[in-house]
Amino acid sequence: MGAGIIACCVALALGIAISIGHPSAARPTTAWRLVQRVPAHQHGQQHSRTEMVAITSSLRACEARLEAQPRRVPTIAIVGASFTAGMGPDNPELSWAVVLARLLRWNAVIYGVPGAGYVAPGTDQRGPVERMLAQERLHGLAPTVVIVQAGHDDVGQPADREAPRVESAVDLIQAGAPRAQIALITVFAGASTPALRAIDQAIVTAGKAADKQVIIMDPLTGRWKFPRARRDGLHPSAAGDVWIAHKVADILSAHGVQPASVAATVPVICDVAVGMSKPSSDTDRDA
């Protein structure tokens, strides 16, 4: 009990917002939410380790709540980079991953680390993907679907280094959640370049080699067009995140993944988004 109290105090001190929502027939709300809003670069290495303990403890507490509930709806597990963290609208509540969980009305565990890839460690060394998946504890969650969104931040990595890391991530998912469908969202880019195409192809090839049933969602070669935040031309606006969520939901639907009944219990969404310095309004004016 003492350890739990300490973890909660640390989480509050670091700006991790935890809130409990209420049922809504029109829009399933988050039953438990975790958001890291302190930019990691403002802290020293020791402080960053403390943050990591707080995030891990809080994530596990939320997962424990989810696992204790009757399994009336499926669970989706998502790890990813800045798009998953909510960069663009700069509000994790508006990220494509949270919007997708609400569209499906599923339980969800979402972990977004800007800069993370299959090789790249991302913000404060919290990645790469394999490490993030391990922190989600897939075995206990027993997710129906696992999505990995990564690739852009690995640009420049040679294929013979990228491919084994992709295969290792898929192997880890298969070991922890052997019944889950695996989906890989590959490279997002403002403009296609030879380096981006090379890393995209490495991910696609390795993903298919590791799992013949893997669902590939390829924004680069698919030329996904969605509203983007004006300041960088890469990340989505709030409307762009909604577009991405619907696109992902449509692809999943084509593979048999369907939303839960409206009458189902309100889902639990555990969402850790690193590096978001402040929440923005629910309406993104750039959209």
Side-chain angles (χ1 to χ4, degrees):
M1 182 175 294
I5 293 172
I6 292 172
C8 289
C9 291
V10 172
L12 290 172
L14 293 173
I16 297 176
I18 303 177
S19 62
I20 299 178
H22 301 281
S24 169
R27 178 189 181 196
T29 59
T30 301
W32 187 305
R33 189 165 173 74
L34 314 171
V35 181
Q36 161 65 309
R37 300 192 187 279
V38 181
H41 67 270
Q42 292 183 0
H43 305 294
Q45 186 175 6
Q46 183 62 43
H47 199 166
S48 297
R49 284 198 291 267
T50 305
E51 285 181 341
M52 193 67 242
V53 171
I55 289 173
T56 302
S57 297
S58 299
L59 182 58
R60 288 181 178 176
C62 186
E63 289 182 356
R65 175 188 172 114
L66 187 159
E67 292 169 16
Q69 286 194 334
R71 295 300 177 98
R72 296 175 183 171
V73 295
T75 296
I76 187 168
I78 301 173
V79 300
S82 55
F83 278 61
T84 300
M87 192 169 289
D90 292 342
N91 184 349
E93 187 76 18
L94 303 179
S95 75
W96 71 269
V98 172
V99 176
L100 175 65
R102 287 184 170 139
L103 287 174
L104 292 175
R105 297 186 290 274
W106 284 21
N107 294 329
V109 177
I110 302 165
Y111 192 6
V113 176
Y118 293 96
V119 175
T123 299
D124 223 8
Q125 308 290 306
R126 291 187 174 118
V129 161
E130 283 182 78
R131 184 182 187 191
M132 296 162 68
L133 286 166
Q135 290 168 353
E136 285 197 341
R137 301 194 306 172
L138 298 178
H139 180 73
L141 289 175
T144 300
V145 174
V146 179
I147 299 178
V148 177
Q149 175 265 308
H152 182 277
D153 299 291
D154 284 338
V155 66
Q157 294 290 341
D160 60 1
R161 187 178 186 196
E162 183 79 358
R165 301 295 286 273
V166 174
E167 293 178 8
S168 183
V170 172
D171 289 345
L172 188 154
I173 296 169
Q174 291 173 329
R179 297 183 180 180
Q181 287 185 279
I182 301 173
L184 306 181
I185 302 178
T186 65
V187 175
F188 284 100
S192 180
T193 67
L196 287 169
R197 291 193 294 271
I199 203 69
D200 187 80
Q201 186 58 48
I203 295 168
V204 172
T205 301
K208 290 180 178 179
D211 182 355
K212 293 181 180 179
Q213 304 301 317
V214 69
I215 302 170
I216 298 293
M217 307 186 195
D218 193 335
L220 185 65
T221 62
R223 298 182 180 180
W224 290 13
K225 295 182 179 180
F226 47 84
R228 298 178 188 263
R230 288 176 182 170
R231 71 176 179 278
D232 66 4
L234 171 63
H235 294 92
S237 64
D241 272 304
V242 171
W243 188 97
I244 293 169
H246 279 276
K247 180 72 171 181
V248 172
D250 288 345
I251 295 172
L252 291 176
S253 178
H255 289 82
V257 177
Q258 300 298 323
S261 167
V262 175
T265 185
V266 176
V268 174
I269 300 177
C270 307
D271 180 22
V272 173
V274 174
M276 297 296 99
S277 60
K278 63 179 180 179
S280 61
S281 65
D282 287 340
T283 302
D284 187 323
R285 299 183 186 277
D286 289 347

